[in-house]
Amino acid sequence: MPPTFPTPKLVIFDCDGVLVDSERLTSQVLVDNLAAHGLRLSVEQAMAQFVGGTMAGVMQKARAMGADLPSDWVDEIYVETYARLAQGVPLVSGIPELLARLDQAQIPCCVASNGSEEKMRITLGQNGLWERFHPQAMFSAHALGVAKPEPGLFLAAASHFGVQARDCLVIEDSASGVTAALRAGMRCLAYAPHGDGARLAELGGELVRDMAEVPARLSI
């Protein structure tokens, strides 16, 4: 049995891979693009290398791996990614039910993402969540100028809601996100529906395989 914790006063969701099931879609776009620039990777390799990072960071890492990327590559990949996401991206299984439970328990929640608000408008807007979170409960690295693995996004969210870091719970699916949560002094559930999640657990995340597990972890 996992240890019991007090019910959090704020739940902070990552967006991609936590609220919306978008990571594999965006990774396929990245794989196809990088292949055209001389770097061939599988989707699994791309996810292992790049999930949770910023596109500027992806660009730097891909160049170090041999990709011949133009100076405007970030703009290029955003156009391709947004076009693919606009074709349709589903919510992560169990998210509607989890949000309903949080509402029932009167626990506020928000989104903190390394992605842009434009990207979240596309993915969350398809699923009725843009209106729920924007603008009062949405924190983007693009807008705030600080990205995971730094803790600033999460600390900004806690400050906005007037909640101490120790009373927040973060739900993340990437190493950079888990690292940011722990650096912020926040408890972190590491959502790992595929693979063993060992890296996330090593960093201090509490593994969950299904969003249906989360209410019990929050004591709601």
Side-chain angles (χ1 to χ4, degrees):
M1 289 289 291
T4 58
F5 293 89
T7 300
K9 296 179 181 178
L10 175 67
V11 174
I12 306 175
F13 290 92
D14 178 42
C15 185
D16 293 296
V18 172
L19 288 175
V20 290
D21 195 6
S22 55
E23 296 287 23
R24 185 163 287 271
L25 293 177
T26 55
S27 292
Q28 184 64 63
V29 172
L30 195 58
V31 164
D32 294 342
N33 177 282
L34 292 177
H37 291 294
L39 177 61
R40 297 191 176 278
L41 299 170
S42 68
V43 171
E44 288 71 22
Q45 288 171 324
M47 292 182 70
Q49 288 287 337
F50 304 129
V51 163
T54 63
M55 279 302 177
V58 171
M59 181 177 180
Q60 183 178 16
K61 187 178 287 189
R63 279 178 164 171
M65 296 169 71
D68 182 17
L69 302 182
S71 60
D72 64 348
W73 180 81
V74 170
D75 292 334
E76 173 187 314
I77 194 65
Y78 274 136
V79 169
E80 294 177 10
T81 299
Y82 293 170
R84 176 60 187 88
L85 292 174
Q87 295 175 24
V89 56
L91 289 176
V92 166
S93 178
I95 281 296
E97 295 80 4
L98 175 55
L99 292 174
R101 288 288 293 274
L102 291 172
D103 288 345
Q104 185 178 21
Q106 298 184 323
I107 299 172
C109 60
C110 65
V111 183
S113 173
N114 273 356
S116 67
E117 286 195 7
E118 183 180 359
K119 182 180 180 182
M120 288 187 276
R121 184 192 293 273
I122 295 169
T123 58
L124 299 181
Q126 297 173 30
N127 295 289
L129 293 185
W130 174 258
E131 295 80 5
R132 178 189 179 110
F133 291 113
H134 185 267
Q136 294 87 357
M138 183 174 289
F139 303 88
S140 163
H142 287 228
L144 293 180
V146 60
K148 309 166 194 175
E150 297 305 316
L153 274 179
F154 295 141
L155 293 174
S159 177
H160 177 83
F161 283 89
V163 176
Q164 296 291 318
R166 64 177 178 272
D167 294 321
C168 297
L169 179 130
V170 175
I171 304 179
E172 270 287 353
D173 71 325
S174 70
S176 64
V178 172
T179 299
L182 274 294
R183 286 179 176 175
M186 298 177 182
R187 182 185 173 203
C188 184
L189 299 186
Y191 179 58
H194 311 293
D196 62 9
R199 175 61 177 153
L200 303 183
E202 286 173 8
L203 291 169
E206 302 168 38
L207 291 182
V208 292
R209 302 294 187 181
D210 192 305
M211 288 298 173
E213 300 174 37
V214 174
R217 297 289 190 99
L218 306 191
S219 302
I220 60 173

